């Protein structure tokens, strides 16, 4: 539930920021030319509104780039406001530079200055009020983030004290796991020992796992990390030496307690995710139009090659472990093993026309519609059948990490030759490299290599 709440909150945050930014310029125009003296408007309001849309979009992108749409449970209000004003100064400075150098329209500088003050001040006030409202909600017991605490040493107790005394942060401990019950825990439930950890986490499905282990429990750290990755749960570690160190930018913190996030994903950044999704929408629409004649020929060929539907729908596991139906042109005869058996190069189930489709990857073309729907991306880890996901999550280390991003039609593993009946471990290694090192340029490289053939031979980047 916390993930849905966070998504809704981000959407409200973006929309209210956009509304404030858009209204600020007409308001500045009104104040300049109808309230202040000497108000003679040479340029009509309609021309300012054209500029207004560009300014609003630029501000939203800069806010996202500076992390102003990430969860701010752990972020300080002064830090958020400082980034907000920095973005405003940067945008207005860039605008004035462009107007001075290339724009022929002579906008009122005073109007733009009023816009800057109104927009940044109003957005700042809105965010202050939003924080106050959320703190009140969380103190009342709403919008809670459920956590399971591992260990009950000094660092874990300090963390528990911090979230209990700062209820406005919205962290609710579901219980703790330790070698044995610890007396004096003031109603905090003892969930069991570390031997039962997998069953406990699988049953509770917390929003986050906090490990504050004592020194004698530190050998359990690799097992805990592996288990949380396997179950797809976010894990934060409180170093046992936390009291001797200060927090740094790569750490989150609760009060003065640093929390080291095991894995950071570039696509968790709102701006990165927005850019990738925009490329997916534009790219999939363009590719659907460009390949529609080819898809029509493929559809007719499938219909004539064997009885059955033209499209083959198969359930796959996508981002956040959600299931969806992936589309392909049917390349096999109807069979009862389509959900539990991989296809091979010499699969007796393939039709002659299906083999042709497979050879040139034409059977994948309907997946552009999956991309347009938002189930998939043009580039990402290939989605797997639920049957194999259940099997591999116990056998392959870090297998479930791939579900932190949208699956793709092509990916880093595929252009390195890891497609079809190849090593799952090698595929996951390449998928994790892609997830942790994502960039638009990397996506472009993968798409170009997919289209024009070849693969990246060197794997030094994986290390």
């Amino acid at each position: 539930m916390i993930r849905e709440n966070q998504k809704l909150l981000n959407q409200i945050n973006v929309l209210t920021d956009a509304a404030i930014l858009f209204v600020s310029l007409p308001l500045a125009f009104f104040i300049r030319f109808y309230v202040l003296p000497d108000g003679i408007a040479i340029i009509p309001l309609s021309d300012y509104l054209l500029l207004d849309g560009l300014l609003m979009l630029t501000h939203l992108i800069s806010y996202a780039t500076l992390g102003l749409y990430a969860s701010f449970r752990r972020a300080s209000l002064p830090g958020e406001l400082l980034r907000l004003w920095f973005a405003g100064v940067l945008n207005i400075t860039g605008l004035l530079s462009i107007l001075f150098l290339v724009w022929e329209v002579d906008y009122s500088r005073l109007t733009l200055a009023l816009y800057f003050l109104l927009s940044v001040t109003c957005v700042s006030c809105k965010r202050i009020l939003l924080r106050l409202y959320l703190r009140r909600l969380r103190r009342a017991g709403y919008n809670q983030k459920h956590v399971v605490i591992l260990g009950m040493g000094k660092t874990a107790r300090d963390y528990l004290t911090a979230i209990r005394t700062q209820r406005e942060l919205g962290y609710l401990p579901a219980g703790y796991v330790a070698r044995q019950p610890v007396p004096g825990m003031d109603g905090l439930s003892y969930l069991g020992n570390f031997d039962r950890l997998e069953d406990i986490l699988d049953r509770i499905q917390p929003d986050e796992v906090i490990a504050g282990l004592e020194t004698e429990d530190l050998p359990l750290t690799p097992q805990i990390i592996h288990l949380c990755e396997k179950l797809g749960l976010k894990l934060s570690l409180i170093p046992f030496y936390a009291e001797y160190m200060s927090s740094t930018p790569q750490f989150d913190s609760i009060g003065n307690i640093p929390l080291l996030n095991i894995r950071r994903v570039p696509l968790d950044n709102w701006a990165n995710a927005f850019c990738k999704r925009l490329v997916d929408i534009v790219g999939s629409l363009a590719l659907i139009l460009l390949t529609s004649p080819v898809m029509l020929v493929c559809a007719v060929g499938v219909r004539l090659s064997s009885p059955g539907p033209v499209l083959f729908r198969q359930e796959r596991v996508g981002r956040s472990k959600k299931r969806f139906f992936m589309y392909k042109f049917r390349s096999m005869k109807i069979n009862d093993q389509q959900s539990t058996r991989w296809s091979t190069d010499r699969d007796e189930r393939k039709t002659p026309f299906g083999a042709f489709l497979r050879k040139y990857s034409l059977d994948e073309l309907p997946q552009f519609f999956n991309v347009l729907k938002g189930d998939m991306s043009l580039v990402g880890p290939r989605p797997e059948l639920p049957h194999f996901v259940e099997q591999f999550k116990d056998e392959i280390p870090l297998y479930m990490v791939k579900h932190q991003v949208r699956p793709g039609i092509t990916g880093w593993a595929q252009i390195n030759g890891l497609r079809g009946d190849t090593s799952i471990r090698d595929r996951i290694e390449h998928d994790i490299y892609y997830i942790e090192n994502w960039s638009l340029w990397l996506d472009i490289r993968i798409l170009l290599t997919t289209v024009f053939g070849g693969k990246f031979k060197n794997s030094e980047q994986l290390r």
Side-chain angles (χ1 to χ4, degrees):
M1 190 65 177
I2 190 72
R3 295 179 179 88
E4 288 77 10
N5 289 341
Q6 185 62 50
K7 183 177 179 180
L8 177 61
L9 178 60
N10 286 341
Q11 292 171 345
I12 293 173
N13 217 3
V14 172
L15 290 174
T16 51
D17 282 353
I20 291 171
L21 291 166
F22 191 80
V23 169
S24 293
L25 190 54
L27 184 57
F29 179 91
F30 177 81
I31 294 173
R32 169 64 185 91
F33 296 111
Y34 294 95
V35 176
L36 297 179
D38 302 322
I40 301 175
I42 300 174
I43 301 173
L45 177 60
S46 58
D47 286 353
Y48 280 91
L49 292 178
L50 293 175
L51 181 65
D52 199 12
L54 178 62
L55 277 171
M56 180 187 69
L57 183 61
T58 304
H59 274 80
L60 292 178
I61 292 174
S62 62
Y63 288 175
T65 303
L66 292 171
L68 289 168
Y69 293 122
S71 174
F72 47 73
R73 288 174 186 266
R74 298 168 180 166
S76 67
L77 179 59
E80 180 181 0
L81 296 180
L82 181 63
R83 282 178 287 160
L84 199 66
W85 281 80
F86 174 77
V89 171
L90 193 66
N91 289 328
I92 202 68
T93 303
L95 173 66
L96 291 174
S97 300
I98 293 172
L99 291 177
F100 179 78
L101 294 173
V102 298
W103 215 301
E104 296 180 359
V105 182
D106 188 20
Y107 290 103
S108 165
R109 301 298 189 267
L110 180 55
T111 302
L112 295 179
L114 288 171
Y115 164 80
F116 165 74
L117 292 174
L118 284 170
S119 61
V120 179
T121 301
C122 291
V123 171
S124 298
C125 291
K126 184 220 77 172
R127 286 179 173 253
I128 292 171
L129 292 174
L130 180 61
R131 277 186 177 250
L132 292 175
Y133 176 70
L134 286 175
R135 288 188 176 191
R136 184 175 179 181
L137 274 181
R138 289 164 183 164
R139 282 188 174 275
Y142 300 101
N143 192 234
Q144 299 289 326
K145 190 168 188 176
H146 294 82
V147 298
V148 167
I149 303 174
L150 308 184
M152 264 300 133
K154 183 181 184 305
T155 54
R157 287 173 178 267
D158 288 343
Y159 171 83
L160 182 61
T161 301
I163 62 174
R164 280 180 164 176
T165 55
Q166 301 178 65
R167 291 178 55 197
E168 68 274 7
L169 295 175
Y171 287 91
L172 184 66
Y176 71 97
V177 177
R179 291 182 181 273
Q180 56 189 8
V182 179
M185 293 313 299
D186 299 329
L188 184 64
S189 300
Y190 174 65
L191 302 174
N193 57 37
F194 291 105
D195 293 336
R196 298 183 53 241
L197 184 57
E198 181 171 4
D199 293 336
I200 293 169
L201 296 180
D202 197 33
R203 173 172 54 86
I204 295 178
Q205 287 292 314
D207 297 299
E208 189 171 354
V209 177
I210 306 295
L213 303 176
E214 297 181 86
T215 51
E216 58 265 29
D217 292 327
L218 289 179
L220 296 172
T221 303
Q223 173 189 341
I224 291 170
I225 294 173
H226 167 75
L227 185 56
C228 289
E229 300 278 19
K230 171 184 168 182
L231 296 175
L233 298 174
K234 180 181 178 182
L235 171 65
S236 292
L237 299 174
I238 307 175
F240 68 92
Y241 49 85
E243 59 183 305
Y244 302 109
M245 61 180 289
S246 58
S247 115
T248 59
Q250 67 265 29
F251 285 86
D252 290 328
S253 61
I254 292 290
N256 294 322
I257 304 171
L259 304 177
L260 175 61
N261 288 320
I262 292 301
R263 193 176 304 281
R264 284 193 180 274
V265 179
L267 286 171
D268 284 343
N269 179 277
W270 187 90
N272 291 339
F274 173 80
C275 290
K276 184 171 175 65
R277 183 63 187 142
L278 183 63
V279 170
D280 283 340
I281 293 172
V282 174
S284 60
L285 281 172
L287 289 166
I288 287 170
L289 292 174
L290 289 171
T291 62
S292 55
V294 179
M295 285 197 275
L296 179 60
V297 172
C298 291
V300 173
V302 171
R303 173 65 72 182
L304 296 176
S305 64
S306 68
V310 169
L311 289 180
F312 171 61
R313 292 197 327 154
Q314 191 175 56
E315 191 176 41
R316 299 289 179 111
V317 180
R319 186 176 63 170
S320 301
K321 297 176 284 187
K322 292 182 179 178
R323 299 188 180 190
F324 69 98
F325 284 102
M326 188 178 76
Y327 306 128
K328 286 187 176 186
F329 283 122
R330 184 173 56 83
S331 59
M332 294 186 178
K333 302 170 186 176
I334 302 299
N335 65 90
D336 58 0
Q337 295 178 309
Q338 59 190 33
S339 298
T340 57
R341 178 184 169 188
W342 274 325
S343 63
T344 59
D345 291 337
R346 297 183 178 180
D347 200 312
E348 70 281 358
R349 298 173 295 169
K350 287 183 186 178
T351 64
F353 187 73
F356 169 78
L357 293 178
R358 288 287 187 93
K359 181 178 180 180
Y360 296 101
S361 298
L362 296 175
D363 61 319
E364 310 280 358
L365 293 179
Q367 289 167 40
F368 294 142
F369 292 98
N370 284 117
V371 176
L372 193 60
K373 286 176 59 181
D375 294 328
M376 295 178 65
S377 176
L378 292 174
V379 180
R382 286 295 290 167
E384 194 53 85
L385 296 165
H387 170 79
F388 291 113
V389 171
E390 291 300 315
Q391 175 184 337
F392 294 146
K393 76 176 185 180
D394 292 319
E395 299 176 358
I396 310 297
L398 310 182
Y399 182 81
M400 297 301 288
V401 174
K402 65 183 286 185
H403 298 111
Q404 293 184 15
V405 298
R406 281 190 181 94
I409 296 177
T410 185
W412 181 250
Q414 282 66 46
I415 66 167
N416 279 279
L418 297 169
R419 54 184 300 166
D421 191 12
T422 54
S423 168
I424 299 298
R425 291 179 184 271
D426 289 344
R427 259 192 265 178
I428 292 301
E429 183 181 0
H430 283 73
D431 287 341
I432 291 177
Y433 169 82
Y434 169 79
I435 291 169
E436 294 181 339
N437 295 275
W438 176 89
S439 68
L440 279 178
W441 170 236
L442 180 58
D443 274 3
I444 292 170
R445 288 175 64 192
I446 293 171
L447 288 171
L448 291 176
T449 305
T450 301
V451 172
F452 296 107
K455 64 179 182 178
F456 295 108
K457 301 277 185 189
N458 59 9
S459 298
E460 291 85 21
Q461 298 174 79
L462 290 174
R463 296 174 175 83

